[in-house]
Amino acid sequence: EKKEKKEKPAAAPAAAPAADDQPEFTKLEMKVGVLIKTWHHPESEKLFLEEVDVGEEKPRQVASGLRAHFTLETFCPGRKVVVVTNLKAAKMAGAESAGMVVACVHPEGKVELLDPPADAKVGERIFIEGLTGEPSTPAQVQKKKILLAVLPDLKTDGACIATWQGKTLMTSAGPLKVLSNANSPIS
């Protein structure tokens, strides 16, 4: 009987696999953000530090390894970006980073930021029509390696539109795009 009782509590987590039916993309929380402040990381030649408004009470500080690809003039306040917001905060070269700015990397090395439409609302969640699900907690994203599961299927199509498994990444104002990196991975 004791074994049976131990099995019953084990049955409760069995409800969790129902979430496994949820598309992996919907477990990430990707939001439209706007750069508020950007500066060179004082301890790293590869990193920018930025404050990003993602529609929360206060801006998030994010560290991005984009310094080799952009200048402070092009990676500047007022620019809209896409940010993964449900990652565990991490230290990057000693600075706190509470998210990830999403970019597209052409096989030849050219990096472009994902561009939300001009009318996209800051803080709105990126979605794919027909796919639903609540985002996972940062701890779940890390433990279940959700970002690593989603990244291989994130890419631009021939028209430079951002997709996951061939489905368009959307905002209320239209799709996410890049300037010229067609058929390229997004990370």
Side-chain angles (χ1 to χ4, degrees), residues 64-108:
S64 300
L66 298 169
R67 201 157 144 188
H69 308 284
F70 298 95
T71 65
L72 284 172
E73 290 72 35
T74 57
F75 193 69
C76 60
R79 191 192 196 299
K80 283 189 176 172
V81 292
V82 175
V83 182
V84 180
T85 57
N86 63 337
L87 300 176
K88 273 188 123 171
K91 294 266 187 198
M92 293 182 69
E96 180 91 1
S97 183
M100 181 179 93
V101 173
V102 183
C104 176
V105 184
H106 189 274
E108 293 175 9

Side-chain angles (χ1 to χ4, degrees), residues 39-45 47-49 63 67 92-95:
W39 65 100
H40 291 145
H41 190 304
E43 305 298 321
S44 171
E45 293 180 11
L47 298 175
F48 279 119
L49 290 173
R67 201 157 144 188
M92 293 182 69

Side-chain angles (χ1 to χ4, degrees), residues 23-26 30 126-132 150 153-157 161-170 175-176 186:
E24 289 296 302
F25 177 82
T26 65
M30 296 173 76
I126 306 304
F127 66 94
I128 294 173
E129 287 191 23
L131 299 185
T132 59
V150 170
D153 293 320
L154 276 176
K155 54 190 73 155
T156 56
D157 65 13
I161 293 174
T163 67
W164 180 72
Q165 294 184 347
K167 300 172 190 85
T168 302
L169 304 188
M170 296 290 296
L176 300 177
I186 295 170

Side-chain angles (χ1 to χ4, degrees), residues 56-69:
E56 298 169 344
E57 190 175 315
K58 59 182 185 176
R60 289 177 177 234
Q61 179 172 295
V62 176
S64 300
L66 298 169
R67 201 157 144 188
H69 308 284

Side-chain angles (χ1 to χ4, degrees), residues 22-38:
Q22 179 181 340
E24 289 296 302
F25 177 82
T26 65
K27 296 176 185 178
L28 284 184
E29 185 173 62
M30 296 173 76
K31 290 183 174 182
V32 175
V34 65
L35 298 174
I36 302 295
K37 180 180 174 186
T38 60

